[in-house]
Amino acid sequence: HSLHSPLMAVTNAISGTTALGGMHLLAHSNGPFVTFLGATATTLSAVNIVGGFIITTKMLDMFKRPSDPPEYYHYYGIPAATTMGLYGIGSLTGKFPE
């Protein structure tokens, strides 16, 4: 447990950097190969990040006791859904903060 978490944090940081680089390539691509490369880098990095969190959660669940209080991780989706909803409304109306 104490070794796995720092290793996963470093791996997720590297994948985050790769995902940002892929998004940068997508935003500034000037050809189909560059677009393909950016999309591939972003997709593979996202899969690695999500998979890392899933594996870490499963590993930490092995150390749970039956008497531990329940965890409400699904509530973390509310801010993300709100942000995406507001972004969608802003893009449909054309009103973005400057």
Side-chain angles (χ1 to χ4, degrees), residues 5-53:
S5 294
L7 288 176
M8 286 309 299
V10 171
T11 302
N12 281 340
I14 292 169
S15 291
T17 304
T18 308
L20 285 176
M23 286 187 265
H24 181 75
L25 279 176
L26 285 172
H28 301 288
S29 68
N30 54 3
F33 179 72
V34 177
T35 303
F36 173 75
L37 193 63
T40 303
T42 304
T43 302
L44 292 177
S45 296
V47 167
N48 192 22
I49 291 168
V50 171
F53 281 116

Side-chain angles (χ1 to χ4, degrees), residues 1-13 52-53 55-57 59-60 63:
H1 168 185
S2 61
L3 178 63
H4 188 265
S5 294
L7 288 176
M8 286 309 299
V10 171
T11 302
N12 281 340
F53 281 116
I55 296 298
T56 301
T57 302
M59 185 205 63
L60 292 176
F63 296 101

